[in-house]
Amino acid sequence: MAKGTVTQKIIDRHVITGSKEAGKVVSIKIDQTLTQDATGTMAYLELEAMGVNRVATELSASYVDHNMMQNGPENRNDHLYLQSIAKNKGVAFSPPGNGICHQVHLERFGVPGKTLLGSDSHTPTGGGIGMIAIGAGGLDVALAMAGKPFRLAYPRVIGVKLTGKLKAWCAAKDVILKLLSILTTKGNVGNVVEYFGSGVATLSVPQRATITNMGAELGVTTSVFPSDDRTKQFLEAQDRGRSFVRIEADAKAEYDRVIEIDLNKIVPMAACPSSPDNIRTIEELSGNPVGQVIIGSCTNSSYRDLAMVAEALKGRKVHSSVTLSIAPGSRQVLEMLAREGKLADMIAAGARILETGCGPCIGQGQSPAQETITVRTFNRNFAGRTGTRGDQSYLVSPESAVAAALTGCFTDPRKLDFGMPQIPDVEKFNINDNMIIPAAADVNSEIIRKPTIGNPPVNNPLPEKIEGAVLIKVGDKITTDHIMPAGIYLKLRSNIPQYSRVVFDCFTEPGKPSFAERAIAVRDSGRHGIIVGRDSYGQGSSREHAAICPMYLGVKAVVALAIERIHKANLVNFGILPLLFADPADYDRIEPEDQLLIENARRQLGVGKPMEAEIVKSDGKVIPVKLVHTLSEDDIRIILAGGMLNC
Ligand code: MIC
Ligand code: SF4
């Protein structure tokens, strides 16, 4: 078992209940929370439903960065609600235009050694300054704001030993792509990735934050770097030197597993369609024509990244067969680029400058043409996430992205005919917090709630007999983007009845009833919906809508071979049973439209207890199956009640 790690030092100081043994459930105190608008509206509605007057954390911040297209009134209605509820409950508010939650939080609020829970899966970005920063569903974040501890499996710690130093044009993004090629996106639940070794000091905070950010794609609980001199320098440059605390692993720290990465050997890489772990080198891809390049997202839109891009573009021209779009991660980044003339260099080279925010990363505009390659500095390339069906989305570093933008094809940036621009650590960032509304609870202030904002739906207690109908059977690595698409539907996040219509939209065949239509027919017949998944079901985002909307449609259980951490927690929170086939071969025995019957479901549900069920085929044949789960006593209590809002 790991010993003396940064992970344990921080978690142990926050444990409230439970035993500090890998895999055992512990509850920890949460110091800070963050929400973003696409998950935040529901989270604050849930907070209201809990009757909380004022948040109980050291700091809670609410960001608007996802839903900013304002196509119709929904987005702005959400913003007004979020701003007013922030004022009412004592939450700091970062309005649209101020930047992506993770980037702004790192710059202005994050504190080494603290715990941060965010209703966004890329919250681990905070691990770049030595926080234990965890992504969760909105309801868990609402509970943390209410002062309740957060429950998690005490983690195993994977130590990633970094040695050497990155060579020119080889980037922090390539380090995390390398790790994704080793660990892949599945099978890592319950682990924290912790970086150590002599290579750590060679990486700046923005580089570390790129690595911890995209660590989310590994499916781990979080990723963390020590808080050291580079962290101190970063915080001082943000005029927040007083927040610095040194946190380093013991010299003799032990890890549950060690992976060594020699930074000298890192080369430019890409995650190929349509999974962040489908890794190839840029050299292997070189020469393939590229139609679009986008630089931005919470992974790669820091001042360091965009200043490097600006200098590479300076005096050059974007290739005529490519469009290059750039979305700075925060207003701080944008303002600095503008003041230093770097923005002008980007514009002069032909870049299209986008608003600071998530934008194309979550399918808000800039969808690529069909059968063309899009190259992005983002962290996810799940099929269709760009807004184009059959998209070919490649994830790369800003270094490789700018090389593609200048040449019109995949080009190993080391082959460019100029040297990599060197961007030294910033000595003083441009500090301008004038858009942030600081936290000050005014419990009598008006909460603005326009008609597009509905109530969080409530569920019924778990029935004694689950008369399940298999609504869908899907394969491995189904992401929450498959379950609940974002893009043009993102604006429906505050309206569950409407958003529910597009559950599993990507699997709807033309002319055939949608998942929602089938689910409603089953629900109306008094039976229950069942989803069958395979390995690593529910990867990716923290969106609790991937549980709320199926729940609203009458789904009572997800049965799979493995279910990812955040999604499993969301299923529990909304009263859906996350079950696993005890015998993986049963996955092959069950088909869509089969019945899955679980008699005495309430009585059968116990910690570590398998459940007996029956598959009933359309010809009446009955196959007994054993279902297992990893539910704790608390989880079971919540599920029996029909979800957390009934507890
Ligand atoms: C994402 O990157 O998929 C998102 C959009 O930021 C999500 C949150 C959401 O769906 O609102 C995430 O990463 O958790
Ligand atoms: Fe926004 Fe993309 Fe980051 Fe999600 S991954 S928070 S959509 S920038």
Side-chain angles (χ1 to χ4, degrees):
M1 157 141 177
K3 254 199 338 228
T5 62
V6 169
T7 309
Q8 289 162 308
K9 286 184 187 197
I10 302 175
I11 292 187
D12 289 0
R13 248 181 272 143
H14 288 84
V15 168
I16 298 174
T17 58
S19 92
K20 297 170 196 157
E21 278 170 71
K24 293 269 161 68
V25 177
V26 288
S27 67
I28 59 168
K29 175 179 179 290
I30 295 298
D31 302 321
Q32 298 191 344
T33 63
L34 73 75
T35 55
Q36 42 88 340
D37 51 326
T39 54
T41 312
M42 210 33 79
Y44 292 104
L45 288 167
E46 288 153 2
L47 188 72
E48 278 194 84
M50 288 172 206
V52 172
N53 277 335
R54 191 192 196 296
V55 295
T57 46
E58 289 172 17
L59 172 99
S60 286
S62 167
Y63 297 89
V64 177
D65 52 4
H66 282 64
N67 256 321
M68 313 218 298
M69 295 277 278
Q70 298 185 216
N71 227 332
E74 293 87 348
N75 293 173
R76 193 60 194 144
N77 286 352
D78 282 354
H79 304 172
L80 292 179
Y81 169 72
L82 290 167
Q83 182 164 342
S84 63
I85 192 87
K87 182 171 180 194
N88 187 279
K89 303 281 176 232
V91 172
F93 183 68
S94 172
N98 200 48
I100 305 178
C101 54
H102 310 302
Q103 177 67 25
V104 179
H105 207 85
L106 194 77
E107 291 168 356
R108 307 305 305 142
F109 294 115
V111 175
K114 299 277 181 192
T115 52
L116 166 68
L117 196 72
S119 62
D120 190 283
S121 63
H122 291 104
T123 303
T125 313
I129 52 166
M131 302 187 84
I132 287 292
I134 303 176
L139 185 48
D140 279 327
V141 177
L143 287 163
M145 287 193 271
K148 300 270 186 325
F150 176 66
R151 289 176 300 120
L152 78 162
Y154 192 79
R156 281 176 299 278
V157 186
I158 302 178
V160 176
K161 183 174 180 185
L162 300 176
T163 56
K165 191 173 184 310
L166 288 171
K167 297 239 168 79
W169 295 113
C170 305
K173 180 65 155 280
D174 300 316
V175 177
I176 186 63
L177 293 178
K178 173 77 190 169
L179 192 61
L180 275 155
S181 75
I182 300 170
L183 288 175
T184 79
T185 58
K186 59 188 178 83
N188 302 313
V189 175
N191 290 283
V192 169
V193 172
E194 178 171 324
Y195 294 86
F196 72 105
S198 57
V200 165
T202 68
L203 298 172
S204 65
V205 163
Q207 289 176 305
R208 296 174 187 185
T210 293
I211 294 173
T212 56
N213 170 287
M214 203 170 170
E217 274 41 77
L218 299 164
V220 293
T221 307
T222 190
S223 303
V224 68
F225 273 84
S227 170
D228 59 8
D229 290 343
R230 295 295 287 263
T231 323
K232 184 164 186 261
Q233 192 279 333
F234 174 82
L235 289 171
E236 281 168 355
Q238 289 285 354
D239 207 9
R240 298 201 299 117
R242 65 202 168 282
S243 296
F244 175 71
V245 204
R246 188 174 298 278
I247 309 168
E248 283 163 331
D250 293 347
K252 288 198 175 143
E254 286 172 25
Y255 299 89
D256 293 292
R257 172 178 175 191
V258 172
I259 295 171
E260 278 203 44
I261 295 185
D262 180 354
L263 297 176
N264 292 311
K265 294 199 181 132
I266 292 289
V267 297
M269 277 179 267
C272 304
S274 292
S275 179
D277 62 0
N278 186 13
I279 309 293
R280 290 173 73 184
T281 64
I282 299 284
E283 201 177 0
E284 285 174 84
L285 299 167
S286 80
N288 286 331
V290 166
Q292 180 189 50
V293 176
I294 312 183
I295 300 176
S297 93
C298 55
T299 324
N300 279 121
S301 58
S302 63
Y303 173 80
R304 182 264 155 213
D305 285 344
L306 297 199
M308 186 281 302
V309 167
E311 297 213 357
L313 290 176
K314 187 173 180 167
R316 301 189 173 88
K317 190 182 153 312
V318 172
H319 194 276
S320 56
S321 61
V322 176
T323 62
L324 168 66
S325 303
I326 301 177
S330 70
R331 190 170 58 118
Q332 179 180 83
V333 173
L334 177 59
E335 198 180 330
M336 282 176 71
L337 294 172
R339 289 189 188 283
E340 293 170 2
K342 294 188 168 64
L343 189 61
D345 294 333
M346 292 171 161
I347 295 168
R352 300 165 66 179
I353 307 301
L354 306 181
E355 185 171 24
T356 59
C358 301
C361 179
I362 193 55
Q364 302 288 290
Q366 305 269 322
S367 300
Q370 289 162 299
E371 285 137 35
T372 62
I373 287 179
T374 177
V375 167
R376 300 168 165 221
T377 64
F378 306 167
N379 46 35
R380 291 193 171 139
N381 57 350
F382 303 144
R385 187 168 154 110
T386 62
T388 299
R389 263 190 195 226
D391 53 10
Q392 299 174 55
S393 172
Y394 290 74
L395 309 174
V396 304
S397 68
E399 286 80 349
S400 298
V402 81
L406 290 171
T407 59
C409 58
F410 278 107
T411 301
D412 187 326
R414 295 171 299 177
K415 301 262 164 66
L416 290 171
D417 59 4
F418 59 96
M420 185 179 92
Q422 294 300 326
I423 309 297
D425 282 358
V426 176
E427 276 175 26
K428 205 88 266 85
F429 286 96
N430 187 84
I431 316 286
N432 177 1
D433 289 336
N434 67 1
M435 279 176 96
I436 295 178
I437 303 175
D442 176 358
V443 290
N444 296 318
S445 63
E446 187 200 356
I447 298 173
I448 304 173
R449 204 159 148 184
K450 305 276 184 201
T452 53
I453 300 178
N455 286 322
V458 273
N459 196 0
N460 296 322
L462 188 77
E464 194 54 76
K465 179 174 182 187
I466 296 184
E467 285 186 79
V470 177
L471 295 170
I472 194 165
K473 180 182 173 184
V474 289
D476 281 346
K477 297 214 275 193
I478 290 299
T479 71
T480 51
D481 277 62
H482 290 107
I483 307 169
M484 275 331 299
I488 52 168
Y489 303 116
L490 196 62
K491 69 176 184 179
L492 301 177
R493 285 287 175 91
S494 317
N495 188 329
I496 302 300
Q498 273 197 44
Y499 197 27
S500 297
R501 289 187 204 155
V502 293
V503 175
F504 284 120
D505 188 51
C506 61
F507 295 118
T508 303
E509 289 172 41
K512 299 246 174 88
S514 65
F515 177 91
E517 286 163 340
R518 284 179 281 125
I520 289 170
V522 165
R523 189 184 67 187
D524 290 351
S525 71
R527 289 174 304 144
H528 309 113
I530 305 284
I531 293 169
V532 174
R534 206 157 181 271
D535 208 2
S536 198
Y537 181 82
Q539 275 191 5
S541 91
S542 69
R543 62 190 72 153
E544 60 186 358
H545 296 77
I548 303 179
C549 294
M551 176 271 264
Y552 176 79
L553 295 174
V555 170
K556 281 284 176 249
V558 170
V559 190
L561 297 190
I563 304 178
E564 292 293 309
R565 173 187 67 89
I566 306 179
H567 187 57
K568 179 194 149 198
N570 287 334
L571 291 173
V572 171
N573 280 346
F574 291 94
I576 298 179
L577 275 167
L579 299 173
L580 308 174
F581 292 105
D583 176 2
D586 283 336
Y587 171 85
D588 298 320
R589 297 191 181 107
I590 195 162
E591 292 303 327
E593 286 166 39
D594 284 354
Q595 308 292 311
L596 184 80
L597 304 182
I598 313 181
E599 298 277 357
N600 302 320
R602 295 181 68 88
R603 261 174 287 157
Q604 285 206 59
L605 199 54
V607 177
K609 262 175 57 186
M611 297 175 82
E612 308 291 340
E614 283 175 347
I615 301 170
V616 183
K617 309 296 286 181
S618 47
D619 61 5
K621 192 174 160 213
V622 176
I623 308 173
V625 279
K626 195 170 272 182
L627 304 173
V628 290
H629 59 78
T630 55
L631 297 169
S632 67
E633 230 168 88
D634 278 333
D635 294 337
I636 290 174
R637 183 178 49 81
I638 295 166
I639 289 180
L640 290 175
M644 191 59 129
L645 292 176
N646 293 346
C647 287

